[in-house]
Structure formats: C-alpha cells, structure tokens
Amino acid sequence: MNYLQAKKELKQGKVSPVYFIYGTQAFLIEDFTQHLLNQVIGQDGSDMNVITYTFSETPIELAVQEAETMPFLGTNKVVIVKDFHAVTSQKTDSKIEHDLDVLTQYIENPSPESTLVLVAPYEKLDERKRVTKRLKKEATVIEAMPFDDRMMKQWIEEQATTKGIQITKEASERLVERLGFDLLMLAGELEKMALYVGEEEITVDVVELLVARTLEQDVFALIDFAVKKRLDEALVIYHDLLKQKEDPLKLLALLARQFRIYYQVKGLSKQAYSQKQIATQLKLHPYVVKLASAKVNQFNERTLLTFLEACADTDYAIKSGKIDKVLALELLLMKMTQKTETK
C-alpha cells in the first residue's frame, strides 16, 4: 500500500493494529505517523499513550510488552519502534539482542487496544528473513518511497484540499518544476501560498511570484539560455548566483553533472530503454530522467561530449591556478553559446 492509500484509509477511520512502514522518504513517514496519532489518540490525547522506542537501543520484547499493556486513562495507545533494521541485511554495532519470535507471535494476534508501528527507513528489505515475510503477510505495509508523477499530483491536490484551497494543474506542474520532488520544501511553499491567496486558488502567477527557483533549476536555466545562444540572460543568472555566494566550482560541478545525465539518458534512449528503466539503470529519480528526456533533443552526443570536456578543462584550469574561477565559468558559458548541434 502506498502512502496516499494509507492516508485515505485513516481518514475513513480504518486503523490497523500493526503498521510496517519502510522507505527513504522521511517526510512521508513522519506525516503518516502524525496523522495516525491524531486518529488514534486525538490531538488532546495523553502523551502517556504514545510510546517510542529505537530498535538499536531497546529489545523488541519490551515494545511488544508495552503494546500488550492496557492504555493509560484512554481507550487506545500507539507504540512506535524506529529504525527497525531487522528487516534488512545491513550490519549494525548494536549489542541489543532481540527475540523476534515474540514479535511474530504478537502480529498474528495483536492487542485491539494498541497500534504497533514498525518504521524501517530503508530502500531495500531482506525478503529472505522470516520477520519480513511475516510482516508483509500480517501487517499493513506502507511504502514511503519517492513519488512518480501521478502520485505527486495527487499529493499536491491533497495538501491543497487539506489547507482549504485549490491549485490549478498548471500551477502544480510549475511548482514541481521549481522545487522538484522535495516534499518538505513543497509542503512549506504550499503553506505559504495558501496564506497568500486566502480563499482564492493558486495559479501559475502565484507560483512565479512566491516560489524561488532552486539552484538546480538555475543550472537548468543556465544551460537552456546558453544553448539557445542567449548569453546575456545566462550571464544574468550566473551573476545572480554569485551574489547569492554560490561558488563557481560548485556551479561547474552541477553543469558537468547535468551534461553527464543528458549524455547517459540520450544513449540509453537510443537503446529503447523506457524512462523508468533509465532511472533504475542510472540510480536517478524518475522525475530527473523525465526532465532530461525533454531536453536531450537539443544536443547530439558529440556536442554533449564536447561540453563535458570543456567542463573538465575549465575545472583543471581553475584548480591549477591558470585562470580566475569567476572568469573561467563566464568563458565556459560563452563557449557553450558558440555552437550547439542538435539531432
């Protein structure tokens, strides 16, 4: 079950006795946990009925024992076990011994007065382990993984609805263009825009006015202006970044990274790889591959290799003291505007 489905069930009052949450998106884990607490304990509920353990510090038997204990002055309690690495193959320095049989017995017959939440903030699970298999069979499993495009749109709409506002499709797309899939930043910007528009809807103009571009988006713009031979606009962005105390060497590294991604995406696309397959192959977020796929037709592979070599030469010239780094990047941008072959 994905995060959005789990949130929907919570809103419908469907609470499971055991949740197993795994994945790398800390924001989703924290957000779901908070909604669960509000649903089970209530915003005015006793903190004594929310007990949190860390798996590397506390035997799992104590967490199970707590879940089996009656709530204090209430009808429900939530027991949270963080960093539940028993479902992974990673090695740890913890000297705590756990009786996982106690846990597997509990999840087969959980207490109706408690909700046990096991949090594993990892991308991959060890499917061979008995506890992993048992949790996947008996518990409500929630994947806190990076969103694809469809889930991102749903999430933004849900966030807007929660704040009592609406956001246009175009505004939602522009927001993702500016911030990418950083959920914490997106949530913060949505909160800011909601306060600004009041009961009105969020439009593209509102996004343009209130949401600043990220550094990565500025690098995208630098490349776009340069390859379109709009040097003046590229230099304006570059000098704005210098005023923001961005190091030219850092900008150079980001430019080189972007050209490398373009080159790899173009090559794999020629081999008929799908965007999802490319993302897996290059270990990139699917959205990064989507953006790159929309841009690679501006270049042929020879041009991309030329730009990568120019970035390497510029890096060497700066680090060997042959040229000032601010001037070096200006010259690189000028070189990029001189010739761009497309195919």
Side-chain angles (χ1 to χ4, degrees), residues 1 26 43 48 78 90 144 147 153 188 194 228 242 267 281 316:
M1 181 184 299
Q43 296 184 359
M48 296 187 71
V78 176
Q90 76 168 38
F147 289 159
K153 290 174 183 175
K228 292 174 181 175
L242 292 179
Q281 185 80 8
Y316 176 78

Side-chain angles (χ1 to χ4, degrees), residues 204-266:
V204 171
D205 290 340
V206 174
V207 176
E208 295 280 3
L209 177 65
L210 297 180
V211 181
R213 287 195 306 259
T214 62
L215 178 57
E216 287 75 13
Q217 286 300 312
D218 280 327
V219 170
F220 272 126
L222 270 179
I223 293 173
D224 275 348
F225 285 137
V227 300
K228 292 174 181 175
K229 306 186 187 306
R230 293 158 64 178
L231 179 60
D232 289 347
E233 290 164 283
L235 290 176
V236 166
I237 292 178
Y238 174 51
H239 286 284
D240 281 345
L241 290 171
L242 292 179
K243 290 176 183 176
Q244 297 170 30
K245 308 298 183 183
E246 295 292 351
D247 190 332
L249 277 171
K250 179 180 179 182
L251 299 176
L252 177 60
L254 289 172
L255 284 170
R257 176 181 182 271
Q258 199 57 49
F259 286 130
R260 191 177 303 111
I261 290 173
Y262 285 167
Y263 182 76
Q264 292 170 324
V265 169
K266 192 172 186 71

Side-chain angles (χ1 to χ4, degrees), residues 38 40 44 46 88 96 119 140 149 157 241 264 267 294 296 299 342:
N38 291 341
V40 176
D44 299 324
S46 172
T88 72
I96 301 295
V119 180
T140 296
D149 281 351
E157 288 175 3
L241 290 171
Q264 292 170 324
V296 293
F299 314 93
T342 60

Side-chain angles (χ1 to χ4, degrees), residues 212-336:
R213 287 195 306 259
T214 62
L215 178 57
E216 287 75 13
Q217 286 300 312
D218 280 327
V219 170
F220 272 126
L222 270 179
I223 293 173
D224 275 348
F225 285 137
V227 300
K228 292 174 181 175
K229 306 186 187 306
R230 293 158 64 178
L231 179 60
D232 289 347
E233 290 164 283
L235 290 176
V236 166
I237 292 178
Y238 174 51
H239 286 284
D240 281 345
L241 290 171
L242 292 179
K243 290 176 183 176
Q244 297 170 30
K245 308 298 183 183
E246 295 292 351
D247 190 332
L249 277 171
K250 179 180 179 182
L251 299 176
L252 177 60
L254 289 172
L255 284 170
R257 176 181 182 271
Q258 199 57 49
F259 286 130
R260 191 177 303 111
I261 290 173
Y262 285 167
Y263 182 76
Q264 292 170 324
V265 169
K266 192 172 186 71
L268 291 173
S269 296
K270 281 187 172 183
Q271 299 177 44
Y273 279 65
S274 68
Q275 290 187 13
K276 184 176 181 180
Q277 290 172 325
I278 293 173
T280 301
Q281 185 80 8
L282 301 181
K283 297 182 179 179
L284 295 171
H285 193 286
Y287 184 70
V288 173
V289 174
K290 178 185 175 182
L291 290 179
S293 298
K295 299 289 185 182
V296 293
N297 287 334
Q298 297 179 85
F299 314 93
N300 66 19
E301 290 176 289
R302 183 188 309 165
T303 300
L304 290 169
L305 283 175
T306 298
F307 286 164
L308 279 169
E309 289 173 0
C311 287
D313 291 342
T314 301
D315 183 72
Y316 176 78
I318 293 171
K319 292 179 178 177
S320 61
K322 293 180 178 179
I323 189 172
D324 174 73
K325 59 184 179 181
V326 173
L327 176 59
L329 213 56
E330 283 189 2
L331 293 174
L332 176 62
L333 292 172
M334 292 177 187
K335 183 174 182 179
M336 288 167 55

Side-chain angles (χ1 to χ4, degrees), residues 146-156 172 176 181 275 285-288 290-291:
F147 289 159
D148 56 22
D149 281 351
R150 181 182 59 82
M151 288 184 64
M152 176 56 75
K153 290 174 183 175
Q154 290 180 7
W155 181 81
I156 290 176
S172 178
V176 175
F181 278 38
Q275 290 187 13
H285 193 286
Y287 184 70
V288 173
K290 178 185 175 182
L291 290 179

